Amino acid sequence: MSDEVLVEESGNVAILTINRPKARNAVNGAVARGIAAALDELDTRPEISAYVLTGAGGTFCAGMDLKGFLSGDFPVVEGRGFGGLTESPPKKPLVAAVEGYALAGGFEMALACDVIVASSAATFGLPEPRRGLVAGAGGIMRLPRRIPYHVAMEIALTGDHYPASRLYELGLVNRVTEPGAALEGALELAGKIAGNAPLALAATKQVIIESQDWSREEMFKKQGAIINPVFGSKDAMEGAAAFAEKRAPRWKGE
């Protein structure tokens, strides 16, 4: 889509790469707009079932480009948020492939993903308070929903860096790979996810995210509004037929 964001496809998985390695993939306005534009386009394509987000040059993302911030270049897209992602993640499953640093806004972008695969050498943190800032791209809201409250407080208030192994222990990182193998691991996992029916994946993701705010009384009613169309879809019929005929399903996202 742009020099700052590279998009390539591996089967039915799209790979989005933040391409500012000399700046440790710090997010500027061009990166944010590039990611938003890529997701807007890819979300309309039924043949793409999942995404992988990664960074070029051995680093995921070191956060906001502070030099750009000082010059008035804000890496926020209206409706999408920081990095073109954090306020409104895509409907399809998104896997983060983390090498090197995932700090500040970079960590927040990883938190906006549905699954995180990280190298054993990867480092995570929310150092914004050390710069007089606040992790306002979802980090301090998402983190305490994913890990124990007091640990989230420690990470957010100290601004310290934490290894992938610690976040794996806490259940925040799904898989840890050898250094340099995070993308390979993420593609393996994304490929497994993308082998499932697109409509079912999108509905499952939506229910998991939105149901956190549902009351007991409204849970099944709201879930039904999201999942009932899936049961009447062509893909649902295809899944049953493929099972009966002992063959791989051919999904159409319909």
Side-chain angles (χ1 to χ4, degrees):
M1 304 294 291
S2 68
D3 292 339
E4 289 80 8
V5 178
L6 306 179
V7 180
E8 57 183 314
E9 297 174 22
S10 176
N12 53 353
V13 176
I15 307 166
L16 283 68
T17 303
I18 304 172
N19 187 37
R20 299 188 73 217
K22 291 183 179 180
R24 292 184 177 177
N25 297 319
V27 179
N28 60 7
V31 169
R33 292 188 294 272
I35 290 176
L39 293 176
D40 285 343
E41 193 268 332
L42 292 166
D43 260 350
T44 66
R45 295 177 52 190
E47 71 274 20
I48 298 297
S49 297
Y51 309 124
V52 170
L53 178 66
T54 192
T59 293
F60 181 71
C61 175
M64 179 172 65
D65 187 331
L66 293 178
K67 293 180 180 179
F69 171 73
L70 289 173
S71 67
D73 180 25
F74 297 105
V76 175
V77 175
E78 185 175 358
R80 282 284 192 186
F82 176 85
L85 169 66
T86 57
E87 185 178 325
S88 181
K91 296 178 182 178
K92 300 173 184 179
L94 176 59
V95 181
V98 181
E99 296 278 356
Y101 293 117
L103 300 176
F107 191 7
E108 293 178 289
M109 291 177 75
L111 286 168
C113 295
D114 304 299
V115 179
I116 300 175
V117 176
S119 153
S120 59
T123 302
F124 298 77
L126 294 174
E128 281 89 344
R130 295 185 176 187
R131 299 291 179 265
L133 302 172
V134 177
I140 54 178
M141 293 186 288
R142 288 189 168 109
L143 196 60
R145 296 188 178 196
R146 311 284 175 78
I147 63 176
Y149 171 88
H150 290 98
V151 182
M153 277 293 191
E154 177 188 333
I155 292 173
L157 296 177
T158 64
D160 286 347
H161 296 182
Y162 294 81
S165 58
R166 175 59 173 149
L167 298 187
Y168 177 77
E169 292 173 356
L170 293 166
L172 187 67
V173 169
N174 296 78
R175 297 184 182 181
V176 177
T177 72
E178 293 295 320
L183 179 57
E184 179 183 351
L187 283 172
E188 178 185 351
L189 189 52
K192 183 175 292 188
I193 292 169
N196 297 319
L199 295 179
L201 289 173
T204 298
K205 174 175 174 173
Q206 185 178 355
V207 170
I208 289 175
I209 292 173
E210 295 184 7
S211 63
Q212 297 179 61
D213 301 317
W214 295 346
S215 68
R216 183 182 298 272
E217 292 74 19
E218 64 187 359
M219 287 174 63
F220 283 95
K221 181 179 180 180
K222 289 197 170 185
Q223 176 183 257
I226 295 169
I227 71 173
N228 287 346
V230 176
F231 284 88
S233 69
K234 292 180 181 179
D235 276 355
M237 299 300 102
E238 168 62 13
F243 177 80
E245 297 166 13
K246 298 181 179 180
R247 59 172 174 81
R250 296 182 288 271
W251 309 121
K252 295 183 178 180
E254 300 176 351

